[in-house]
Each structure stands twice: as structure tokens, then as C-alpha cells.
Amino acid sequence: MRLGIDVFTSNKLRRLKGARVGLCVNLASCDSALIPTFSLFLQQKKFRLTAVFAPEHGLFSALQDQVLADHFYDKKRRINIYSLYSDRLVSEEEINEKIDLLVIDLQDVGARYYTFLWSAVLLIEQMARLNKKIFVLDRPNPLNGVTVQGPVLEPGFLSFVGLYMLPVRHGMTIGELCRMINDELRLDADLEIIKMKGWKRRGYFTDYGLYWTPPSPNMPSFQTALVYPGMCLLEGTNISEGRGTTRPFEIFGAPWIEPFSFVQKLQSKKITGAKFRPVTFIPTFNKYAGKPCGGAQIYVTDRKRFNSVTAGLEIIKTIRTLYPTKFRWRRPPYEFEKKKPPFDILIGNEWIRKALEKNNSIAAIQKVWQSGLSRFKRQRRKYLLYD
């Protein structure tokens, strides 16, 4: 298969001839030979790369979770690097002065709350107001383009982990998502998607012989991405989601969890497509840094049958049941949201948190969101670009 960047560099770079080009990217975005898009664009003589717009974690994918970054001038490469995860937004005046058009090349991980998409959407809004052309170089959804899971975000819970009504696992590529949001929100951006060649919707990342390039420090492998849609919900609690370990989102726990009895309880839930192993870990940073934590490691045994969202909810429910006096919901602020509970903006509503507090079954909770998920599946059909 050929990525959007492969297609673009092989026969479409002439579209940029003579232009001052802005690039929304980080170093995880590489062509099939592992050459970063950033490097490829810097080397071009037919156009000038005049500005780079970096998502959360920065251009070099090195900054940790929710670390703000400022804009800076790269003296060695003689180019302005603008942070899209900053207290100071890039002004439209600056954009207008620096670039004639924009190229977006970002690797999404298939979950609505991964912030790269929303950085791209906000930049697309600005470009639309400036009447500037945008190319989106498409990349695979690593979790496949068929499976759709979790509740659809409710309008009252929009935030930087969801600026449009998507389910947790959306089953779309970043190009398809930009196309849909541009149309549905009537942004009227001059948007062109550079499609991949050879990508099939049913394929997972590992089916194509592609190299995994971590888009952020805590997304080190495809296995991390596979569990992330559900395990990221732990960010909305006082449970460590494994940041500060070598297996973030796969390892989880807290100082007051007894790992063996905990795993025995999880195994009794018979979570489809997953198994658990008791662990003790000491996070080097983030929640419980330097403190021994008991917990578990999740292993996906059948990725086609595994539902990460319901698994994440079942894990939270189990911990609440076993440790009712220890478990807590995380309090705001979180991802620029200062009032709503972090769990609510992650899951996209408040009723699921309240249902968990009433000890409702996960099956009953899932049943409630199915009608909204079915509507989303119908809505997205006209925006799908691949078979």
C-alpha cells in the first residue's frame, strides 16, 4: 500500500510549485521508507516550507501528556514552528503572512479523544476564513475502518478531546474525518484529501507491513493503540493508566489495589477478547510517581471481538466495587475544560458516570448508546473514501 505522503511526493508536489507552504505535522509522520514528511518538505526546491504547525507533544513527539508548548524559531532550519497545543493560538494574521496553503499529515490512532484531529480541525477553520487551500495526506486508521464503538459525543460535552459528535472509536481515517467535519460544520474549507492506495477498511495497521512510529510518548506500539479507546477512560479517575511505565494504557492500577484478587475478579467478568495478568509497577511520573502500585496488564487475545470501550468501563466498575472508599473521579481542569468532570468529556456525556455510580451493568449502559451509534454509522457512509 502507499500512504498519502507517498502518493503526494510521487506525482502531486507540482501542485505546490512556487508556494509558501505550511505543514501540520510531527516526526511520526513518515513516508513508507521512514523519511519524515518534515524532512521531505524541507529538501524541496520548487516550493518553500515557511511554517510548521505541531500538534500536542510537539514537532518531535517528545512532550508528555498535556504539556503546553510555545511557538519558536528553529535557527538551524530557519523556520517558524507554531504549537497547536499552547496558551497562545496562532493568529490568522501570522498564518496569512507566512503561508499560501497548508498540508496536513498527522497519524491518528482511531479514538475520538486523541487530540491531533482537533488541532487539525481548528487550523482548517482558520484556513477556511483565509480562503487558503488545504491538502490532507491520508493515513490508515490503525484500528481498521469498519469497527465503530462507544457512545456518540453529546453536544453539551464538546472539548479539545471532542469538537464534533463522534463515537469513541470512529472507524475513519483522518482524511475522511476532516472531510466529514468540514461538510457537517459547514466550514467551507478548500479541502482536498490525498488518498492512500491499497488500504482496505477491514485491515489493521499490522496487516500492511508498516512501521509503527510513535505519534506521542505514551503511544509506543500498535498494541497500545488497540486498547487506548477504552483504557484512556482511566484518565478520568484516580487510577493510574500506566503513564510513567513502559506499557502505558496496557498496565493500570493504584497503590491500594491488591493485584491477584483484582485480576481474579476481572477474569470472572469474561471480557471478550482480553486476558489479564497481575502486576506491581512503580510509575516514574504522572499519577503515583515513585509509589508501588498493584494492578493488571491487559492482553488482547482476539482483536476482532475485543471492545475496548466496554472493557474500560468494566474495569472502572470493578475497581469501584472492590475499593469503594478509595476510588475517585478525577476533578477538572482537564484538556482546557475547567468545569465538567474529565471522565464526562472523555466518554462524551454525564449519564454513563451516573449509571456507574448506580452500579448499572455495562451491558445495560451499552444498550442505551446503540441507537446513536447506529445513526452515526449511517451518517458517515457518504464520507468514506475506501472500500
Side-chain angles (χ1 to χ4, degrees):
M1 69 160 287
R2 300 175 72 201
L3 301 168
I5 180 61
D6 298 324
V7 174
F8 199 66
T9 53
S10 65
N11 59 21
K12 295 183 184 295
L13 280 179
R14 65 184 183 276
R15 306 276 302 276
L16 309 183
K17 187 175 180 180
R20 299 173 305 158
V21 176
L23 181 62
C24 180
V25 75
N26 68 11
L27 290 197
S29 298
C30 298
D31 68 6
S32 295
L34 289 179
I35 301 172
T37 302
F38 176 58
S39 299
L40 289 168
F41 275 48
L42 276 175
Q43 296 164 5
Q44 296 301 317
K45 304 297 184 186
K46 294 182 179 179
F47 63 84
R48 281 197 305 138
L49 181 62
T50 52
V52 172
F53 303 91
E56 185 179 4
H57 312 294
L59 173 62
F60 304 106
S61 310
L63 298 174
Q64 286 294 339
D65 171 54
Q66 298 182 59
V67 174
L68 299 180
D70 207 352
H71 317 314
F72 70 96
Y73 181 73
D74 187 327
K75 293 180 181 178
K76 182 177 180 180
R77 299 169 183 87
R78 298 180 181 178
I79 191 166
N80 287 93
I81 312 295
Y82 295 101
S83 172
L84 301 178
Y85 198 79
S86 171
D87 279 335
R88 184 168 68 91
L89 292 175
V90 187
S91 71
E92 288 176 20
E93 290 78 10
E94 285 181 274
I95 294 173
N96 205 32
E97 287 176 4
K98 287 288 181 185
I99 69 173
D100 301 315
L101 55 84
L102 175 70
V103 177
I104 297 172
D105 187 15
L106 294 171
Q107 178 61 63
D108 188 44
V109 301
R112 188 250 303 152
Y113 20 70
Y114 205 67
T115 61
F116 288 12
L117 170 65
W118 308 118
S119 289
V121 166
L122 292 174
L123 197 53
I124 287 169
E125 285 184 327
Q126 290 182 300
M127 295 295 290
R129 289 191 289 269
L130 295 169
N131 296 311
K132 293 183 184 289
K133 177 78 176 179
I134 308 159
F135 295 96
V136 178
L137 312 187
D138 213 2
R139 290 184 173 270
N141 182 322
L143 307 183
N144 81 39
V146 175
T147 308
V148 179
Q149 295 171 338
V152 174
L153 176 71
E154 294 181 1
F157 292 84
L158 300 180
S159 73
F160 198 57
V161 290
L163 292 170
Y164 180 71
M165 284 71 77
L166 300 178
V168 173
R169 184 170 164 182
H170 45 68
M172 299 176 74
T173 69
I174 193 165
E176 291 171 336
L177 287 165
C178 289
R179 183 171 176 244
M180 179 171 73
I181 293 168
N182 184 46
D183 188 46
E184 294 289 331
L185 295 185
R186 299 179 182 176
L187 303 182
D188 296 321
D190 183 2
L191 191 68
E192 182 174 342
I193 313 302
I194 307 300
K195 291 174 59 177
M196 298 174 281
K197 291 188 177 179
W199 185 71
K200 301 295 183 183
R201 303 206 73 82
R202 293 191 176 277
Y204 289 80
F205 190 87
T206 49
D207 295 335
Y208 294 98
L210 296 168
Y211 301 104
W212 183 267
T213 52
S216 55
N218 291 289
M219 197 59 62
S221 70
F222 165 72
Q223 286 73 22
T224 318
L226 196 57
V227 300
Y228 176 77
M231 301 308 291
C232 184
L233 294 172
L234 297 180
E235 285 190 18
T237 74
N238 65 341
I239 308 302
S240 167
E241 64 275 10
R243 294 184 191 275
T245 76
T246 58
R247 309 298 292 189
F249 300 107
E250 297 172 65
I251 288 174
F252 56 97
W256 30 268
I257 289 178
E258 198 292 308
F260 292 91
S261 58
F262 175 49
V263 165
Q264 187 176 25
K265 187 69 172 178
L266 283 178
Q267 298 286 36
S268 73
K269 300 292 183 180
K270 293 183 169 52
I271 295 173
T272 304
K275 291 187 182 299
F276 299 88
R277 176 179 71 92
V279 297
T280 296
F281 61 97
I282 303 175
T284 58
F285 58 86
N286 206 267
K287 296 173 185 170
Y288 308 119
K291 296 180 180 179
C293 295
Q297 182 171 354
I298 184 170
Y299 293 81
V300 177
T301 57
D302 186 340
R303 64 190 185 185
K304 293 183 179 178
R305 299 179 65 211
F306 176 63
N307 187 320
S308 180
V309 180
T310 55
L313 292 175
E314 195 71 75
I315 288 165
I316 290 171
K317 184 174 187 290
T318 300
I319 295 172
R320 286 192 78 255
T321 301
L322 290 175
Y323 303 98
T325 62
K326 299 287 189 180
F327 176 87
R328 296 285 185 276
W329 300 110
R330 182 174 175 174
R331 298 175 64 83
Y334 174 79
E335 292 291 7
F336 307 106
E337 169 58 48
K338 297 180 180 178
K339 293 183 179 180
K340 294 184 176 66
F343 181 83
D344 290 5
I345 63 169
L346 283 166
I347 199 64
N349 58 68
E350 64 179 5
W351 67 264
I352 289 181
R353 175 175 51 82
K354 292 179 177 179
L356 289 170
E357 290 171 347
K358 293 177 182 176
N359 207 31
N360 292 359
S361 73
I362 304 304
I365 292 170
Q366 185 180 12
K367 189 175 181 180
V368 176
W369 77 53
Q370 286 304 316
S371 60
L373 196 59
S374 296
R375 284 194 298 273
F376 173 78
K377 287 179 182 178
R378 292 192 296 272
Q379 177 199 14
R380 78 180 192 137
R381 285 176 189 163
K382 65 179 179 177
Y383 301 109
L384 302 182
L385 297 171
Y386 308 90
D387 296 329

